[in-house]
Amino acid sequence: MMAEDLRAAVAGQPKRLNSSSEVVERVEENGHQNKRLKRDADEEDGEDQNKRLPKRKIVLLMAYSGKGYHGMQRNVGSSQFKTIEDDLVSALVQSGCIPENHGEDMKKMSFQRCARTDKGVSAAGQIVSLKVRLIDDILEKINNHLPSHIRILGLKRVTGGFNSKNKCDARTYSYMLPTFAFAHKDHDVQEEVYRLDKETLERVNKLLACYKGTHNFHNFTSQKGPRDPSAKRYIMEMYCGEPFVRENIEFAVIKVKGQSFMMHQIRKMIGLVIAIVKGYAAESIIKCSWGEEKVDVPKAPGLGLVLERVHFEKYNRRFGNDGLHEPLEWTEEEEKIAVFKEQYIYPTIINTEREEKSMANWLNTLSIHDFNSSAVEMQANNKTSKNSSNLEGSDGSDGDSD
């Protein structure tokens, strides 16, 4: 019995180390463990410090290439279609700007995008407003968690009630397209050889200028009836710039500034002008399209559409020089915006056009459209045109479609 008690007592004592090397191993192991614990504690302290930071309302200036994304707006709970906001929210959480639960419920951070760009559409000057913790080196930390084709280029403090969509006075989009789109349908054109002449460019600009002012654009979207007051939109300017050559193909950029745009409106405005210049439709169709009768307006491809900038003129006049807030202008960021477009947006448009020939393929569908058709005849034609339009991305949309 005494022997058993003795064995039990020995077994209960701490195990003796067999050698000096085992002592060293234990010390080293404890040293590593202490370092790990210290590092973990430092990270927790940093997170705790972030949590203690007050949340402030800011705007972020964003640029992104939209290829491969199903638009800007996040669809919470749907992982099937990746959006720009999916990547943005993930970066905000990982950088410590917002708590994780704010990423799941974006209303908690008062998140609002200025324009809901759609599938495949890029942006050089998108603005989002939200409440964040103003951590140190905030832009660098957010960008570290974003892919290179999405960048935060600027940040400004705004008033507590600021909403980037509601406070926006106007939006400017650009549309980059190969100039062979304007070649007359009766001319046999080689895409890489074609160059836009001065007379055709002048005609294009004369037609684009017709859109200026307030008109009923119900024929330029699928969402509005002819008597819907919200189908009236105000266009401030629209013009096509001088052509330039990239990768042996000549391109031009159309700029349009308006208060707001309906879904597919810009692409249809450009599509109708192309149809006229190519000889498929009469110039009078533009004014006819503002009437109550249904007009078959073709929708140009989504590739090439870019949200260039958004305007906050009323906000700037009221708060921009109040001593507390900055005007929402991005003069200092212009160079970064230009570099991003040259690195990510223009090459994507050019390479995709060369590889997928979205404009050339779309031009072949113009003959299907009946620009003199009635609404009844159009229903049959729409079934055919939908098959080709499903291959395209959709354009930037804001205002009512957000």
Side-chain angles (χ1 to χ4, degrees):
M1 188 71 180
M2 284 179 65
E4 287 178 8
D5 290 340
L6 184 60
R7 277 198 298 274
V10 170
Q13 288 182 1
K15 184 181 177 184
R16 294 179 64 187
L17 299 176
N18 295 329
S19 67
S20 60
S21 63
E22 194 168 338
V23 174
V24 172
E25 285 174 14
R26 280 290 173 88
V27 171
E28 287 179 351
E29 185 181 310
N30 288 338
H32 283 305
Q33 189 173 9
N34 288 339
K35 284 179 184 175
R36 278 199 302 273
L37 289 170
K38 187 176 186 301
R39 187 169 63 246
D40 292 344
D42 288 343
E43 285 176 3
E44 284 177 16
D45 286 345
E47 287 174 13
D48 287 341
Q49 272 188 328
N50 285 348
K51 287 175 184 176
R52 287 195 292 269
L53 287 171
K55 294 185 183 71
R56 295 286 182 258
K57 193 66 162 293
I58 62 158
V59 293
L60 297 175
L61 172 67
M62 289 185 71
Y64 51 83
S65 172
K67 186 178 181 183
Y69 288 88
H70 283 259
M72 170 73 179
Q73 187 173 2
R74 193 178 191 208
N75 301 307
V76 179
S78 172
S79 57
Q80 186 181 359
F81 301 111
K82 191 178 184 183
T83 68
I84 298 293
E85 284 176 15
D86 286 330
D87 282 353
L88 173 61
V89 169
S90 174
L92 291 170
V93 171
Q94 290 180 67
S95 62
C97 293
I98 61 169
E100 196 163 344
N101 65 335
H102 285 202
E104 294 158 9
D105 183 0
M106 295 169 72
K107 289 179 182 175
K108 289 183 177 178
M109 58 173 160
S110 304
F111 186 94
Q112 184 61 59
R113 71 209 62 79
C114 185
R116 192 197 70 182
T117 57
D118 280 350
K119 180 184 175 185
V121 177
S122 299
Q126 171 73 281
I127 296 290
V128 297
S129 55
L130 68 159
K131 287 181 179 176
V132 298
R133 302 168 179 141
L134 286 175
I135 60 174
D136 292 336
D137 304 317
I138 183 168
L139 292 189
E140 182 183 348
K141 286 175 181 174
I142 297 172
N143 282 324
N144 284 344
H145 294 285
L146 285 170
S148 58
H149 55 267
I150 303 177
R151 291 289 94 179
I152 306 299
L153 302 180
L155 177 153
K156 290 183 190 287
R157 287 278 304 276
V158 287
T159 56
F162 183 87
N163 178 307
S164 61
K165 179 186 166 189
N166 296 342
K167 296 293 183 186
C168 181
D169 303 304
R171 298 151 173 90
T172 297
Y173 281 87
S174 67
Y175 188 85
M176 183 175 172
L177 75 167
T179 57
F180 63 73
F182 296 122
H184 197 277
K185 65 182 176 65
D186 295 336
H187 297 164
D188 186 19
V189 170
Q190 290 182 298
E191 295 168 8
E192 293 196 356
V193 176
Y194 181 82
R195 296 294 181 263
L196 186 66
D197 59 64
K198 185 181 177 184
E199 291 75 18
T200 305
L201 179 58
E202 285 175 357
R203 189 179 180 212
V204 168
N205 276 318
K206 179 187 168 189
L207 292 168
L208 293 174
C210 293
Y211 289 121
K212 287 162 67 173
T214 301
H215 303 288
N216 187 338
F217 285 98
H218 73 96
N219 274 309
F220 294 80
T221 185
S222 57
Q223 300 178 330
K224 310 286 180 184
R227 298 186 182 182
D228 188 334
S230 66
K232 288 191 175 179
R233 300 291 160 127
Y234 175 50
I235 305 300
M236 299 164 186
E237 64 177 3
M238 192 167 188
Y239 64 91
C240 181
E242 291 292 325
F244 54 92
V245 177
R246 295 286 176 90
E247 304 286 330
N248 296 325
I249 297 178
E250 187 180 67
F251 288 87
V253 174
I254 293 172
K255 289 273 183 77
V256 55
K257 180 181 179 182
Q259 277 184 338
S260 62
F261 298 93
M262 297 176 289
M263 183 174 284
H264 301 154
Q265 180 184 339
I266 297 170
R267 288 167 60 190
K268 280 177 171 278
M269 290 165 73
I270 292 169
L272 192 57
V273 166
I274 290 173
I276 295 168
V277 174
K278 291 190 77 64
Y280 288 103
E283 289 189 17
S284 58
I285 196 171
I286 293 181
K287 288 185 180 178
C288 290
S289 70
W290 297 328
E292 290 199 5
E293 190 175 331
K294 190 74 176 167
V295 174
D296 185 5
V297 178
K299 179 176 65 180
L303 180 69
L305 192 65
V306 179
L307 174 63
E308 286 285 339
R309 70 169 58 218
V310 289
H311 308 266
F312 298 95
E313 286 151 20
K314 287 179 187 172
Y315 175 88
N316 288 344
R317 283 197 297 270
R318 184 171 177 187
F319 298 106
N321 297 303
D322 65 358
L324 297 171
H325 305 94
E326 299 175 81
L328 295 183
E329 295 167 350
W330 306 95
T331 309
E332 292 179 13
E333 287 76 18
E334 288 291 348
E335 188 176 340
K336 287 191 282 186
I337 292 170
V339 169
F340 184 89
K341 287 198 286 190
E342 289 291 339
Q343 283 186 337
Y344 295 100
I345 295 179
Y346 293 157
T348 299
I349 294 171
I350 293 163
N351 294 334
T352 305
E353 180 59 46
R354 288 182 67 88
E355 293 165 12
E356 300 178 12
K357 298 190 178 297
S358 60
M359 179 57 74
N361 292 334
W362 174 77
L363 291 173
N364 290 331
T365 70
L366 284 176
S367 59
I368 297 169
H369 292 267
D370 182 358
F371 297 101
N372 299 309
S373 65
S374 67
V376 176
E377 291 168 338
M378 279 181 62
Q379 287 177 357
N381 291 340
N382 280 345
K383 290 179 182 176
T384 312
S385 61
K386 274 181 184 177
N387 292 333
S388 61
S389 66
N390 284 341
L391 302 174
E392 308 163 6
S394 55
D395 73 333
S397 57
D398 32 48
D400 297 326
S401 46
D402 196 359

